[in-house]
Each structure stands twice: as C-alpha cells, then as structure tokens.
Amino acid sequence: MKVKLIVLLLCFGFINDAFGQVLADKKNQNAQDLYEFHIIKKKANNTSAWIVLSGGVAMIVGGYGINMSGGIIDNDSTNNKKGLWLSYLGGAVTLVSVPLFIASGKHNKKAKIQLENGAVGLGNKFSFSGVSFVFSF
C-alpha cells in the first residue's frame, strides 16, 4: 500500500512537470506596435464599459417599471417588490462598468506616452533628438 501511494505521488509530480506551460520569450516591440496595442485595448474597454453601463441602467429602469406596474396589473398595491431584484442587479452591473472605464483611461495614457516617444504614425523605427545647424550657400 505504501509503495502504491509513493508511486502515485511521484507520478503526479512528474506529470505536473511534464505538462507545464511553455512561456514564449518577450519580443521587443517598437513604439508603433505598443501604441496600436494600447489603442485597441482602450477602444475595447471603452466599448464594453458603455455596453455594461447601458445594460445596468436598463435593468434599473426595468426593475422600477415592474415595481410601479405591479399594483396595476394584479390590482394589489401592497406587494410592489416584484422588480426590486432586477433593480439591485442593474445597480451591481452598473458598478462593474467603473473598472472598465478606469482600464480604458490607463490604456489611453499609455498610448499617449508612446506617442510622445516619437516614432509613431510615420513608420519610423527610430526617433532621433539633437541639435542641427544648416548652412546654405
């Protein structure tokens, strides 16, 4: 029994090492690639944030609408809490949009930093800074 347990533990140890994930080496990216990456992430986060925010607001409005119409449909004005769960869920979904807007802003700042580096937009791979003198004869 002890031998089987030890062999089983050793197998789990070797299987864990054998099926480990291989990480790819990081590539050096130029400013243009980093700018495009951050702009794509900014647009994706911004779009998803607006979708989540509008969905949350729609849930809140729908929940209040169900609460307000509950007494009219059933002729029972005492039980007006039927859509309250939808309003709470809409509030939670609306709060989820805040981190998405924050992430969008962070990617926008990182994209602006890449723009300040210089080599963006013109296809240049290098940016040079210095002083030059021009003499025309």
Side-chain angles (χ1 to χ4, degrees), residues 16-23:
N16 187 17
D17 289 337
F19 293 118
Q21 181 180 2
V22 177
L23 298 176

Side-chain angles (χ1 to χ4, degrees), residues 29 31-42 107 111:
Q29 296 178 332
Q32 180 71 35
D33 293 337
L34 290 172
Y35 172 76
E36 289 173 1
F37 170 76
H38 288 299
I39 286 297
I40 289 170
K41 293 291 281 185
K42 176 197 143 286
H107 282 291

